[in-house]
Structure formats: structure tokens, C-alpha cells
Amino acid sequence: MVIGSRFTIPGAELSERFSRSSGPGGQGVNTTDSRVELSFDVAASPSIPEHLRDRVLTGLGSRLVDGVLTIAASEHRSQLQNREAARGRLANLLLDASAPPPAKRRPTKPSRGSKERRLASKKRRSDVKRGRSGRFED
């Protein structure tokens, strides 16, 4: 499985478990194991480059149990579609977790012209409201 241009995970590192999906489904729901649990050991995987491993582990920190990422897919009625959905979700999670952090924001100041325009509009607005008060003083 290719994770963007960053790295590739061989199928041997993924483990799948199948079980029965919950919810409605008619007579076939009691006999087909269409739910898929896909597990990937992120902490011990040799496929993830060392420079990305810490970034991936911190990015997926809340989803990992002992360094293992588990994804369950049961939205489709067929096992094959659920396997594809789980692998796609795994790829997206790893791609997002291995992305570099966003660039820091450079603080900027408002320009002198924008400050003057803002103050001029406030002055115009206050003149309009003062004109509504019923007093005709200048």
C-alpha cells in the first residue's frame, strides 16, 4: 500500500480480522463476516522512515493502543468493499499524520491607510447616529 510519496507499506505488515456486522441486513447478516478490522503496528514497522516515525506516532497518539493502529470498517455489505474502505482510511490517516507541520504565521500590522479608513468610517457612522438624536446642534 503506497502512502503518498512518503513511504510504502507491504501487505505482510497489515493484519485483518473479520466479524459479523451489526445492524439490519436480513437473512445474510447472520452468516457473512463482512466487518473488517485492519491493524497496523506503527511503532514497530520497518516501512516507516525513522525521520517520519516520531511525527506519525505523535499525530496518531490518541488512536494508538500499544503502538498499534486499528481501523474497523462495516459500512458496506461486502467484505471486499469493507477491506478497501479500511485500507483507504488507513492510508489517509498515515498521510495526514506524516504531513509536515504548517508554517508559522508571520504577524503583520494594519497599514496606515487602513487605520485611517477605519477611523473615518467610525466618524461617519457616529455622525449618522448623532443626527438621529433629534438635537439639531452643530
Side-chain angles (χ1 to χ4, degrees):
M1 181 168 41
V2 178
I3 310 298
S5 61
R6 296 185 177 98
F7 53 94
T8 304
I9 299 173
E13 290 188 33
L14 302 174
S15 65
E16 292 176 323
R17 263 185 30 190
F18 305 103
S19 61
R20 295 187 179 136
S21 287
S22 63
Q27 296 171 341
V29 77
N30 297 325
T31 58
T32 57
D33 290 339
S34 61
R35 181 175 186 264
V36 177
E37 282 187 17
L38 182 66
S39 296
F40 175 59
D41 192 352
V42 178
S45 173
S47 303
I48 300 177
E50 286 302 319
H51 67 278
L52 291 178
R53 186 179 312 277
D54 290 334
R55 191 185 300 169
V56 171
L57 287 173
T58 55
L60 296 173
S62 62
R63 294 198 58 149
L64 297 178
V65 177
D66 295 330
V68 177
L69 175 65
T70 303
I71 295 172
S74 62
E75 59 263 18
H76 301 287
R77 290 177 65 177
S78 76
Q79 188 184 88
L80 183 62
Q81 285 179 318
N82 282 332
R83 288 178 74 183
E84 290 172 1
R87 286 174 184 256
R89 252 189 271 157
L90 175 69
N92 286 338
L93 278 172
L94 290 174
L95 193 63
D96 291 343
S98 64
K104 295 278 186 188
R105 180 189 170 274
R106 279 181 46 194
T108 58
K109 293 181 183 177
S111 66
R112 189 171 136 201
S114 68
K115 286 182 197 174
E116 289 172 359
R117 284 190 298 274
R118 180 180 63 87
L119 292 174
S121 70
K122 285 172 68 108
K123 179 81 171 129
R124 277 194 305 275
R125 188 73 184 148
S126 72
D127 288 344
V128 166
K129 289 191 173 192
R130 195 171 344 119
R132 292 180 186 156
S133 67
R135 295 180 309 205
F136 296 103
E137 301 170 356
D138 198 302

